[in-house]
């Protein structure tokens, strides 16, 4: 499933075609994706101008004039394809090209913008994605967002913020980082990478990074810096270039070639001076990749 950097790449890829354009019609080619579309979804969004494209965690947010917001989630195989005249490309950055088979084109946004007519097509072979509509002024209380923690890209995420959530917790560190109530949008790949950068074992207790006065230890400060750095690097590289992801211009991303631990089981650790070997363990049903030698 795409993680935060992939969704941010999609947002940036769609912005030139969608931001400021008139959404002439939202064409729904089936009644549902993972969930049924909201009642009158097409009527409610058609004929409205798109003010901006945003992101919260792994959700794409399309702000419309009048205060409504389209909420879109890519699921496992969803992608947006932009067609402007003869040009066509898929917004995002996926390792294996996402489908262009028209039988999986489930939503078509017909747009009228400064460059003329365009179509933004949502293609989803597995139909695990979904779309919803909400009012912008009530978005924070929406079921998808009300329990989300802070973004890993914002200034609020610091060691003190995490210390308040980790204090006294025996929960494994990796599980605590994947808990969306703590950090929004942080997924399995980048948790593995951040823990390796910080030299921390995914199996140690989250509370071990907090002192007796509930203040962050130096290790938690290092981890916070690693989280922000790995997300920044991944966004700059255009996502992690995993299965089913391709950019607007059709090129593939290359952050996967920078993975230090993820999906590298049995390979040498890349930490300078470390002679360890990357291992894989399963935590809460998810594969965790780490170096037992240098991550403590």
């Amino acid at each position: 499933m795409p993680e935060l950097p992939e969704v941010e790449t999609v947002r940036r890829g769609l912005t030139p075609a969608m931001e400021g354009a008139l959404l002439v019609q939202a064409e729904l080619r089936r009644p549902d994706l993972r969930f049924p579309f909201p009642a009158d979804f097409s009527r409610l969004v058609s004929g409205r101008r798109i003010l901006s494209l945003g992101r919260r965690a792994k959700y794409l947010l399309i702000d419309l004039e009048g205060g409504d917001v389209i909420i879109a989630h890519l699921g496992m195989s969803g992608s947006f394809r932009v067609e402007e005249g003869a040009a066509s490309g898929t917004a995002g950055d996926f390792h294996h090209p996402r489908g262009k088979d028209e039988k999986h084109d489930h939503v078509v946004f017909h747009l009228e913008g400064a460059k003329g007519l365009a179509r933004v097509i949502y293609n989803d072979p597995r139909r695990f994605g979904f779309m919803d509509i909400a009012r912008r002024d009530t978005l924070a209380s929406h079921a998808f967002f009300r329990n989300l923690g802070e973004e890993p890209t914002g200034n609020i995420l610091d060691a003190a913020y995490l210390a308040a959530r980790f204090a006294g917790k025996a929960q494994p560190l990796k599980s605590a980082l994947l808990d969306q109530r703590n950090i929004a949008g942080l997924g399995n790949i980048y948790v593995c990478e951040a823990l390796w950068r910080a030299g921390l074992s995914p199996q140690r207790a989250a509370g071990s990074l907090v002192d007796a006065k509930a203040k962050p230890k130096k290790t938690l400060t290092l981890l916070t810096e690693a989280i922000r750095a790995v997300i920044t690097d991944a966004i700059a590289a255009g996502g992690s270039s995993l299965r089913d992801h391709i950019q607007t211009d059709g090129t593939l991303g290359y952050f996967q070639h920078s993975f230090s631990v993820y999906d590298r089981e049995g390979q040498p650790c890349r930490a300078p001076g470390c002679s360890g070997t990357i291992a894989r363990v399963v935590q809460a049903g998810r594969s965790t990749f780490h170096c037992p030698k240098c991550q403590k």
Side-chain angles (χ1 to χ4, degrees):
M1 184 174 294
E3 295 194 24
L4 184 156
E6 288 73 59
V7 179
E8 177 62 19
T9 303
V10 170
R11 184 194 70 79
R12 295 182 184 189
L14 290 175
T15 294
M18 298 189 75
E19 202 163 88
L22 179 67
L23 204 173
V24 178
Q25 180 192 6
E27 177 189 349
L28 307 183
R29 296 183 174 178
R30 57 177 301 112
D32 58 8
L33 293 170
R34 182 176 178 182
F35 310 118
F37 286 100
D40 294 330
F41 179 84
S42 180
R43 180 185 64 80
L44 289 170
V45 304
S46 296
R48 312 275 287 279
R49 192 163 298 279
I50 298 171
L51 301 180
S52 63
L53 270 72
R55 179 196 53 75
R56 178 71 168 111
K58 302 176 186 178
Y59 297 90
L60 181 69
L61 304 176
I62 305 172
D63 274 88
L64 306 175
E65 63 179 352
D68 286 328
V69 182
I70 297 173
I71 304 167
H73 195 286
L74 296 174
M76 295 179 68
S77 63
S79 63
F80 285 95
R81 187 170 76 251
V82 180
E83 294 184 353
E84 295 176 298
S88 176
T90 306
D93 179 17
F94 298 79
H95 182 47
H96 297 295
R98 290 218 162 184
K100 294 185 180 181
D101 189 333
E102 290 188 359
K103 70 181 180 182
H104 301 305
D105 289 349
H106 303 311
V107 181
V108 181
F109 292 131
H110 297 269
L111 307 175
E112 183 178 331
K115 296 182 180 180
L117 300 179
R119 300 196 310 164
V120 171
I121 302 163
Y122 180 72
N123 182 288
D124 192 347
R126 301 181 192 178
R127 300 202 308 272
F128 274 28
F130 55 86
M131 293 188 189
D132 199 358
I133 187 168
R135 296 291 298 173
R136 165 54 71 175
D137 56 7
T138 64
L139 201 62
S141 61
H142 191 283
F144 295 155
F145 306 111
R146 62 186 174 218
N147 294 319
L148 289 179
E150 295 298 332
E151 294 276 328
T153 55
N155 293 329
I156 296 176
L157 181 69
D158 59 15
Y161 170 86
L162 288 180
R165 284 150 182 80
F166 289 178
K169 296 288 181 65
Q171 181 184 23
L173 183 54
K174 186 192 175 192
S175 298
L177 292 173
L178 287 176
D179 187 336
Q180 299 297 291
R181 295 170 297 181
N182 293 327
I183 305 177
L186 195 60
N188 191 43
I189 297 168
Y190 300 111
V191 167
C192 290
E193 291 296 305
L195 287 170
W196 178 82
R197 289 192 185 197
L200 295 172
S201 168
Q203 298 168 310
R204 69 183 292 169
S208 68
L209 306 186
V210 184
D211 67 19
K213 296 181 180 180
K215 300 296 183 182
K217 295 181 179 179
K218 183 179 180 180
T219 48
L220 186 51
T221 299
L222 292 173
L223 176 59
T224 306
E225 293 171 351
I227 291 169
R228 294 167 67 99
V230 76
I231 293 294
T232 298
D233 290 348
I235 291 173
S240 57
S241 189
L242 291 179
R243 180 165 55 102
D244 292 336
H245 207 48
I246 189 172
Q247 289 196 112
T248 305
D249 63 2
T251 61
L252 300 180
Y254 297 99
F255 189 71
Q256 68 167 6
H257 301 305
S258 297
F259 285 165
S260 298
V261 287
Y262 186 80
D263 205 25
R264 295 190 62 244
E265 180 183 8
Q267 298 182 44
C269 179
R270 291 176 173 168
C274 181
S275 58
T277 300
I278 302 304
R280 183 182 74 89
V281 296
V282 177
Q283 294 179 283
R286 305 292 298 276
S287 290
T288 297
F289 299 91
H290 69 118
C291 175
K293 185 176 180 66
C294 68
Q295 290 181 246
K296 304 298 183 181

